[in-house]
Amino acid sequence: MGTALKTSRKLVVLGTTALTGVLVAGAAAWACVAGPTLLATPQVVGAGETVAISGISYNADLPVVVRFDALDGPVLGTFPVNQDTDALAGSVQIPADATPGNHVLVATQSSEDGDVAIIPTRALVSVAGPGGAPVLGAPLGESDANRPVGLVEAGSASTQALVLAGAGAAGVALFLAGAAVYFSTRRQPTPEKARP
Amino acid sequence: MNKTLTGSVVLATMLGGMSSVALAETPLQVSKPVQATQFDLSPARTYGAPGFAVDPEDPLHVFGSAVDLRTQRCGLMESADGGQTWVKLDASPSLDSYPMCLMTNSHTTQGKIAFGSGGTLYYGLAGWDSKDGFNRSIFLGRSDDAGASWKTTTVRDTRGLEGENQQPNRPLSGMAVDTSGDQDTIYLTWRQQNRFVDPNRIANQPVMAVSTDGGATFSEPINLTSGVFEDEAVRAEALETVPSPTPAASASPSGSATPSATASTAPTTSPAAPRPEPSPSLVASPTAPAAVPSASPAPPPPGSPKSDPDQAVNFGGSNPVLAIDDKGTAYTAWVSSYQNQVSAPNPGYFLTRTSDQGKTLEVFPITGFAENNVNSFGGIDMVWSPEGGNDGTLHVVHEATRNPGVDSESDVFHRTSTDRGQTWSEPKPVNDDDPEQLFFSGIPKISIAPNGRLDAAWFDTRSDPGTTSNDVYYASSSDNGATWSKNVRISEQSIDRKIGVFASRFDLNAPPGIASTDSFALVGWDDTRNFDTVTEGQDIYVAAVQYDEIEPATSNLLKYGLAAVVGLAIVGVLFVLLALLTRRRDAGPAGVRRAAPAG
């Protein structure tokens, strides 16, 4: 049993890997190039600590400026882009006075006149609280988990149940009344004929 | 029982109609997204965003294309309850000999579905097998039994084309069905690419094939540019947008033409045979050299496409989408694309119109080669509305930017035309995020409900906390596009695009699907929440923006209960009748006797 499970798991992993390989090859050959991306590692850090940053698909002719929390936030570092791979690699120091919770690194590239030249990229970092414990900030992506399920119907289920119960009572009452009338008629003795 | 139910339906419909007037602009609710692809338990499932088709006879009956990007197979899913639960149908429109349908493109729905007359369901799809190289064929599936079985017609068969003659017909970007005639007229549009090599590489072309017999046969592909780029002034207008002077721009013989004058000139009208031979520009030149890129710095041979960027063969178009009006006129919107340019001109959006199933074409500019157009391979969608005048209104949504000069930034713009595409309104942004923040809003889709409400949905990064994620956003218009609602977030949690094939190294994405009914708009998208960076899968999720209460689907239990109650009531009435008859029978003879004359 265990061996069969292991075998099937291996098959799934192998199949997934193979199919992914096919898809990657196909996509790499024909698909369009997506926009730039930015990643920060590790994602949980302490204030004043350093995180590694990396990214792809940048404009190789322009330096990347990494800021803290906003498009016009404090600059944490400026980095060149690899001319051959359009990739970004480096590290930045999180401000020592950063509050515990979630923060965003924002990477921008600007032209010589100072205007932003490529869509900004953002990477999440979570600054740990006292003692190095991770602190949750604002919910990521502001998950809205309290949505109503399904579509609103005209007439609720309880109304339907009431209608059904009422109709049922009426139907049964009609049945019983009819039966009572019928059987009482059957049992009623035939009036004796008038004798001369 | 029938009368009772009918009465209830009529009353509810009246009440529903009254409430819809009051609630037309404000949604009752946005429902919690449901996993439509629960029917698939494969850990490797990787579905693309679906296309939807709503049953004209029953707005709760919805079909969705279910295309697994990993197995590259086209399927269909069905919902009978307004998208709350789904089943996958066993049959596929793909032919056994062309089993794969994946189109490795962004900004386009894999698998196009639409209803025709009499409940016929159509499925437009690509087809290929591993032996086809770069060739991609086009097919149309037709089902007269709600997707239980398919009869599939070949629209464009490229199998066997070799070398430079190979034809990657992808993506299949548009499908529309005109149901006004005795038989359905079906239009399919796609981008026709070529495999020519330097110096004979030419621009991609937007093409259309037409069936006037319900999908039994199709015309040869018709080039939707219809020679618009034979006009030197149009080419000059495009080339003038190249940022720095290039030999191509300076060599343009009509560089003095003013762009605005060109954009507003009379339409380019040219005849097109219903079954024309492929344009010479779309087939390989017999004298073309072998498929070996030249390493020599020598200039390209005179007369070759690369020798002069300012040639019609270096101008084309991509990703044509379709709309049909109530007179059977077909409209295609497409975006210009280029080849052999030192620096690509700005994209321009065009509209091609035909009132005779493709025999003659008229081309009009929608946008010109505007600086804020950001996408040369699609990012456009179109619908027609009967409102707005005798000719109705064409509505286009397309990607453009409020911040020209910021690479990869995009917004969703809306334009209208009330003269059948000849002139267009100024663009208005539909997304209402802060333009200063430079978020991405793009890959838009537009749809129209029977009551005229316009629904638009797109992908948006405004809620991305820095995790390379995006969300599905939505807006609606109940005044024929004059104003748009506040944007509504449809996905209740951001979609992690570090997982799956939407972005990163794949870029296999499609606009959110929309099914528009009077009561609700159903929005569907590809979602990675059930996967990780190892499995890299995607599910289809759907949520409804509801404007009006729907008629409850009567459950079988309720039906049986009502039937039992009515049966009891009928038996009761029968008892009463029997009692009356018995009493009359018993009393009858005495009365007769009493009436008889005494002896």
Side-chain angles (χ1 to χ4, degrees):
Chain A
M1 181 73 175
T3 309
L5 261 179
K6 276 184 182 174
T7 306
S8 66
R9 196 172 295 166
K10 274 183 184 173
L11 283 173
V12 166
V13 170
L14 280 173
T16 303
T17 307
L19 285 167
T20 303
V22 170
L23 203 55
V24 167
W30 298 320
C32 307
V33 177
T37 60
L38 181 67
L39 294 174
T41 311
Q43 207 168 27
V44 179
V45 295
E49 291 183 355
T50 298
V51 296
I53 56 168
S54 61
I56 57 171
S57 299
Y58 286 90
N59 184 332
D61 297 330
L62 301 172
V64 175
V65 178
V66 178
R67 297 173 184 269
F68 193 63
D69 270 348
L71 281 171
D72 58 355
V75 175
L76 302 184
T78 301
F79 306 89
V81 176
N82 186 301
Q83 294 287 321
D84 297 325
T85 62
D86 295 344
L88 163 73
S91 62
V92 296
Q93 186 177 17
I94 302 301
D97 58 352
T99 56
N102 291 332
H103 294 270
V104 180
L105 304 180
V106 186
T108 59
Q109 290 187 287
S110 299
S111 57
E112 289 179 357
D113 56 11
D115 294 334
V116 176
I118 189 167
I119 190 169
T121 50
R122 294 168 169 87
L124 180 79
V125 290
S126 185
V127 174
V135 174
L136 295 179
L140 301 184
E142 298 173 10
S143 178
D144 182 7
N146 297 319
R147 295 260 186 88
V149 176
L151 297 169
V152 180
E153 296 185 346
S156 63
S158 58
T159 307
Q160 289 182 1
L162 279 175
V163 169
L164 184 59
V172 171
L174 193 53
F175 171 77
L176 293 175
V181 170
Y182 174 70
F183 286 112
S184 66
T185 303
R186 296 267 300 179
R187 286 176 185 168
Q188 197 174 348
T190 306
E192 284 191 12
K193 294 171 184 172
R195 294 181 186 275
Chain B
M1 183 177 70
N2 284 341
K3 279 189 177 176
T4 306
L5 281 178
T6 306
S8 302
V9 169
V10 169
L11 180 62
T13 304
M14 290 170 62
L15 291 172
M18 289 164 64
S19 60
S20 71
V21 174
L23 300 170
E25 293 183 345
T26 307
L28 285 175
Q29 67 168 31
V30 180
S31 69
K32 186 179 178 65
V34 297
Q35 181 189 348
T37 42
Q38 274 185 339
F39 49 73
D40 190 342
L41 300 179
S42 165
R45 63 187 184 276
T46 310
Y47 286 93
F52 288 129
V54 182
D55 186 342
E57 302 296 323
D58 178 4
L60 295 180
H61 189 203
V62 184
F63 287 92
S65 56
V67 180
D68 188 333
L69 307 179
R70 203 182 299 260
T71 61
Q72 315 190 7
R73 301 303 202 271
C74 270
L76 190 73
M77 57 185 191
E78 179 182 18
S79 172
D81 56 6
Q84 301 312 297
T85 58
W86 295 83
V87 293
K88 188 172 185 184
L89 303 179
D90 292 333
S92 168
S94 292
L95 297 175
D96 290 342
S97 51
Y98 294 80
M100 301 175 186
C101 78
L102 175 72
M103 304 177 289
T104 45
N105 293 90
S106 68
H107 288 71
T108 195
T109 306
Q110 308 271 346
K112 307 285 191 293
I113 56 175
F115 269 97
S117 56
T120 300
L121 192 60
Y122 295 101
Y123 198 131
L125 70 162
W128 55 285
D129 202 349
S130 53
K131 63 187 174 188
D132 283 320
F134 289 100
N135 290 319
R136 293 294 177 272
S137 299
I138 304 291
F139 298 93
L140 178 79
R142 175 188 168 121
S143 176
D144 295 319
D145 53 11
S149 65
W150 294 93
K151 182 179 180 184
T152 298
T153 305
T154 302
V155 179
R156 181 68 170 169
D157 190 359
T158 60
R159 179 158 291 172
L161 297 178
E162 296 179 346
E164 290 188 70
N165 289 323
Q166 289 183 93
Q167 215 174 76
N169 290 304
R170 65 177 179 85
L172 172 68
S173 48
M175 182 172 80
V177 182
D178 174 15
T179 59
S180 62
D182 293 337
Q183 292 192 83
D184 290 343
T185 299
I186 299 111
Y187 297 85
L188 288 169
T189 54
W190 64 88
R191 175 177 67 173
Q192 183 167 300
Q193 302 184 59
N194 64 87
R195 295 297 301 168
F196 305 157
V197 296
D198 281 344
N200 293 316
R201 203 184 297 270
I202 61 173
N204 300 324
Q205 300 297 322
V207 299
M208 174 176 74
V210 186
S211 170
T212 56
D213 54 10
T217 60
F218 273 86
S219 72
E220 287 293 317
I222 301 163
N223 191 327
L224 294 166
T225 65
S226 190
V228 68
F229 295 119
E230 298 289 342
D231 187 335
E232 293 178 359
V234 175
R235 298 201 304 274
E237 183 188 353
L239 292 170
E240 282 175 0
T241 68
V242 174
S244 56
T246 64
S250 60
S252 171
S254 53
S256 59
T258 56
S260 58
T262 307
S264 60
T265 50
T268 302
T269 305
S270 64
R275 292 173 180 275
E277 291 298 315
S279 161
S281 65
L282 299 179
V283 298
S285 163
T287 58
V292 178
S294 170
S296 166
S304 66
K306 195 170 187 179
S307 66
D308 180 6
D310 189 10
Q311 301 180 70
V313 292
N314 289 324
F315 291 74
S318 286
N319 295 37
V321 294
L322 275 157
I324 306 279
D325 71 14
D326 59 350
K327 301 178 183 71
T329 300
Y331 305 90
T332 60
W334 49 273
V335 59
S336 60
S337 61
Y338 311 100
Q339 192 60 263
N340 295 318
Q341 307 295 326
V342 176
S343 181
N346 292 334
Y349 287 105
F350 287 84
L351 180 120
T352 301
R353 181 174 79 188
T354 177
S355 302
D356 51 13
Q357 292 86 39
K359 295 183 182 67
T360 56
L361 306 175
E362 298 171 285
V363 181
F364 306 96
I366 297 175
T367 66
F369 304 95
E371 183 189 14
N372 64 342
N373 288 342
V374 293
N375 194 330
S376 60
F377 48 89
I380 187 170
D381 198 24
M382 176 169 61
V383 295
W384 179 84
S385 161
E387 297 179 29
N390 292 335
D391 294 324
T393 307
L394 282 168
H395 298 270
V396 159
V397 289
H398 64 87
E399 288 184 356
T401 178
R402 291 173 290 183
N403 299 282
V406 180
D407 191 23
S408 298
E409 203 273 342
S410 173
D411 298 289
V412 176
F413 283 85
H414 171 247
R415 294 173 188 259
T416 60
S417 171
T418 54
D419 57 5
R420 305 172 70 226
Q422 290 178 224
T423 59
W424 291 83
S425 68
E426 287 298 310
K428 279 186 294 193
V430 180
N431 53 301
D432 60 7
D433 58 311
D434 179 3
E436 298 286 319
Q437 292 301 314
L438 302 173
F439 292 120
F440 173 89
S441 305
I443 320 179
K445 182 83 177 169
I446 189 169
S447 178
I448 184 167
N451 65 5
R453 188 193 68 246
L454 295 165
D455 300 313
W458 64 93
F459 288 102
D460 201 301
T461 64
R462 77 182 76 173
S463 302
D464 175 17
T467 57
T468 316
S469 62
N470 60 19
D471 279 86
V472 178
Y473 270 76
Y474 163 93
S476 67
S477 173
S478 54
D479 55 9
N480 200 34
T483 59
W484 286 87
S485 72
K486 186 174 180 291
N487 293 179
V488 177
R489 186 187 184 203
I490 301 296
S491 45
E492 91 285 31
Q493 64 180 65
S494 296
I495 310 154
D496 189 343
R497 296 306 185 186
K498 295 191 298 298
I499 300 168
V501 297
F502 185 99
S504 87
R505 61 211 182 274
F506 296 102
D507 209 25
L508 292 175
N509 50 57
I514 311 176
S516 296
T517 77
D518 287 351
S519 299
F520 61 89
L522 194 69
V523 183
W525 67 93
D526 46 341
D527 200 303
T528 63
R529 70 180 69 184
N530 301 318
F531 301 91
D532 55 30
T533 52
V534 175
T535 52
E536 294 274 20
Q538 298 181 166
D539 274 313
I540 295 173
Y541 272 73
V542 297
V545 184
Q546 189 171 2
Y547 291 89
D548 192 10
E549 295 172 337
I550 61 164
E551 203 52 47
T554 308
S555 70
N556 285 339
L557 188 63
L558 186 64
K559 286 176 185 170
Y560 296 147
L562 278 173
V565 164
V566 171
L568 278 176
I570 290 171
V571 171
V573 170
L574 285 176
F575 272 132
V576 172
L577 289 176
L578 276 173
L580 289 174
L581 282 174
T582 305
R583 183 172 287 181
R584 181 167 291 181
R585 187 195 62 196
D586 292 343
V592 170
R593 272 190 216 105
R594 276 196 297 273

